[in-house]
Amino acid sequence: MLGPMKNIHLQKRRPIAWTFVTGCLALPIAAMPLGSVARAASGSGEAKRVPVLLCDGDKDVLADNTDMRNAAAIALRKALPFQAVNSADGCTSLAALLTFASAKVLITATTDPGESSPSQSAHLSAYFLRDSGGQLRLVASKNNFADSNSSWGNAGEIGTAHFGPDDGMMVTGVSSQQGYSTGSTDFYVFRNGGIVSLGMVPTGWSNDGAAATENEAVTVTAKVETGLQRPDRVRVVYSRSAHGEDDRTSVAIWHSQNGQFVLEAGSIPEEIVENFDLDANVVAKNGTPIGSADVAPSAIAGKTLWSINDAGMEQPESAIIEAIKQDPNYPSICRLTGKKMLPSLSEAAATWFVTTSNRCDAGAGLAPVWIVSVGPTGKASIVLSEFLRAVKMQDGRHENFRDIIVNGDAGLPDSGDIYTFDGTAYRKTKS
């Protein structure tokens, strides 16, 4: 077996704090916690636009996602040229469109010219857009505020994050080398007129590509939660899967100090300790009991990702249970647990994310999952039945249901297939 990767440190390579140029336009703080972050460039009325060459793969993104298409046209420029197919020129991909109370933030990822390589990073940029009279308007931007943490120039998985009164984002990436994979999440907060790096937290590890036998393969994945009662803290639920063993779950609380995260309480898997070369003060806190303030559910009312590792699940109502029992994929020896999806995937019905209790009929970090729609009359209908790890809500809609990304690979938490609703159930439309 090849030796595992080492020398992966918690401190981010480029912790950056930056400030926008202030001007005459300021977003109302009460309406959007970005506060003074979202301001236009002085004397311009809107932020300067930088011409970009979009990656060829974004043609499908723009064709399928109206919100992304509108945001990109306003943030970048009306004409959006694309990179030639198989070109080695650097290009810009549309990595994420984050939605907050009264603003949107478009995140792009730009690669340098040259052939792609495992060590290649993407340069992340942010464009802040405000709704003005039903139309989006670019009010601020920042080019190259950080580099991605994924291999091959990938942007990683980018989502919203919340720290006390402040909004921000988290960037989760996976790097692979010699059959080993490591996952990490970088956190940024929009604070005091700038984007501030809070640091990095280790969120995954796998030796699946290097294990000599299936019995030696181990995979660690994680579910990250922000919006805790105490700011600058994140809760990470780790799930460790190994052949022939029951899955093990542990919870850890990480706290940002001076641009890097330290372990405050809870437990982290031994593979994370061994392969991330954690500082002594982090290891010393491993196993510390978690305080009541950090056990409380996240203060964020809505979310866009649901996982079999989520805390706070409960037995669904009887109509949901009876509907699932009619599904041929239901293992009759298993009990069910789940949670109502807030926001719902449909404006016309409630939706539930349901899986099996106590990892029944689960393995390799995956489990049976059902998404169940409950209409106004209380009738429950299964709209998705799969063996998977997580589903993530997308901006696109089909037949009044949001599109979703279905993740079926615990070793690659950022991967997934796009599913759309056909009027009866979710069907895979794109890998």
Side-chain angles (χ1 to χ4, degrees), residues 368-385:
V369 169
W370 298 267
I371 294 179
V372 181
S373 169
V374 182
T377 63
K379 181 181 179 180
S381 302
I382 297 173
V383 295
L384 180 74
S385 174

Side-chain angles (χ1 to χ4, degrees), residues 65-327:
N65 192 321
T66 302
D67 289 342
M68 180 70 82
R69 184 167 63 247
N70 293 340
I74 295 168
L76 304 176
R77 61 181 184 178
K78 294 297 182 182
L80 297 172
F82 286 94
Q83 173 197 41
V85 178
N86 298 324
S87 170
D89 294 336
C91 63
T92 296
S93 63
L94 304 174
L97 182 61
L98 309 179
T99 300
F100 297 99
S102 63
K104 296 180 182 292
V105 183
L106 174 67
I107 306 297
T108 63
T110 302
T111 55
D112 296 322
E115 295 297 328
S116 182
S117 68
S119 61
Q120 183 182 31
S121 295
H123 311 301
L124 303 180
S125 298
Y127 300 85
F128 292 83
L129 303 130
R130 177 186 176 186
D131 189 307
S132 178
Q135 298 291 326
L136 289 178
R137 180 171 179 240
L138 178 66
V139 294
S141 63
K142 179 59 182 180
N143 295 320
N144 303 335
F145 68 85
D147 287 343
S148 67
N149 51 13
S150 292
S151 298
W152 300 100
N154 293 320
E157 184 75 18
I158 302 176
T160 58
H162 307 270
F163 302 94
D166 302 315
D167 288 325
M169 61 185 167
M170 49 187 173
V171 182
T172 300
V174 176
S175 297
S176 299
Q177 181 180 342
Q178 298 179 335
Y180 294 86
S181 298
T182 58
S184 60
T185 300
D186 294 320
F187 295 88
Y188 302 91
V189 64
F190 308 138
R191 180 179 295 162
N192 298 329
I195 293 182
V196 179
S197 171
L198 297 181
M200 180 271 283
V201 169
T203 50
W205 184 86
S206 176
N207 67 348
D208 188 62
T213 67
E214 183 178 333
N215 291 338
E216 297 175 346
V218 178
T219 296
V220 177
T221 58
K223 164 71 175 174
V224 178
E225 296 179 336
T226 65
L228 305 186
Q229 291 185 9
R230 295 192 293 169
D232 289 2
R233 285 165 176 80
V234 299
R235 179 167 49 219
V236 181
V237 180
Y238 292 99
S239 180
R240 180 187 184 276
S241 300
H243 184 78
E245 299 180 18
D246 291 336
D247 291 353
R248 302 198 315 239
T249 300
S250 59
V251 181
I253 304 296
W254 295 85
H255 177 211
S256 177
Q257 293 181 346
N258 301 320
Q260 97 179 62
F261 276 94
V262 298
L263 183 66
E264 181 163 304
S267 300
I268 51 181
E270 57 268 29
E271 289 78 12
I272 297 294
V273 175
E274 294 170 358
N275 293 285
F276 278 79
D277 285 347
L278 302 181
D279 292 339
N281 62 339
V282 174
V283 178
K285 284 292 191 75
N286 197 19
T288 303
I290 298 176
S292 58
D294 294 321
V295 173
S298 169
I300 305 306
K303 58 184 294 184
T304 59
L305 184 145
W306 295 267
S307 165
I308 60 175
N309 297 325
D310 283 356
M313 292 194 189
E314 59 187 10
Q315 180 175 305
E317 56 192 59
S318 58
I320 295 174
I321 294 175
E322 290 304 315
I324 292 175
K325 285 183 176 181
Q326 305 307 311
D327 181 25

